[in-house]
Amino acid sequence: MKKKTPARSGQVRSNPKTIILIPSFNTGAVLEHVVKDALSVHPDVWLLIDGSTDQSYQTLDRFRNQHSGFRITVFQKNEGKGSTLLKGALLAKTEGFTHFVSMDADGQHPASHVPMLLESIRQNPDALVMGQPVFDKSAPKIRLWGRKLTLMMTDIETGFGGLGDTLYGFRAYPIDPFLKAFASTSHARGYDFDPEIAVRLFWNGLRPVQVSIPVRYFEASEGGVSHFHYLRDNLKLTLLHFRLIPEGLHRWVLNRMRSAMPRNPFPKN
């Protein structure tokens, strides 16, 4: 019987089936452009409406006739990005998808870079593919200062494991590990989703692969919409790290103890 050659580093080991999931809450006029751009680079795109009240998605039904892989799923209650992507991932799994690209509906995730994420999935099907933002002058300084603290905290929580920017949500996830990471926490449903799920996937053994992505913040006059609340969301991030740092230290101590234990020189057959 011929032996299978083991996969080398960088060699494709599977044939991923990937979908783009776009969670949206009151995104406004920019939503149409985001969906249109996503469909121009990938055939399977699902728009997940997270309790929106602005009706911006209702004009997008026409895309269903033009693109068989486009779907709009409406959730009546606003539960946050994490909850919406969790429900989307569960639905995607039932239809045979193995991976999904998470793409925000506010225009900050350029669809032109989706092919780069898809190629990274093909080359690294067992990894967490993380977009790494390259900000221009449109980025609010207060947002940049605040994210530096979170990035420092997630470095500590992972033992400087190389996650990079954990607040930027333009990523590609393998669905099964994603669902497993969610099962380990009752949090990560709202603004704390992006950093927590990345940390938990790292703890579960997923290697991060980084892809640089240019980021532009849109002005209100261009249709830009932000649901970021400085006090509320920064408080949520602070509480997140109060939870993750002790758990991360506990995991680090256990790993050190396991590595220090002598191995049995007489293993059982």
Side-chain angles (χ1 to χ4, degrees), residues 9 25 66 72 82 85 101 105 108 131 133 137 141 169-171 175 191 207-208 228 239 248 252 267:
S9 177
F25 171 69
Q66 303 166 3
I72 301 175
L85 282 176
V101 171
Q108 290 183 27
K137 294 180 180 180
K141 292 294 188 293
F170 196 22
R171 300 174 183 165
I175 291 179
Y191 187 73
R207 176 174 57 92
F228 177 78
L239 294 175
W252 181 82

Side-chain angles (χ1 to χ4, degrees), residues 108-126:
Q108 290 183 27
H109 296 170
S112 59
H113 283 65
V114 166
M116 297 175 63
L117 297 178
L118 297 177
E119 180 60 26
S120 292
I121 292 172
R122 284 189 286 269
Q123 295 295 327
N124 307 277
D126 300 320

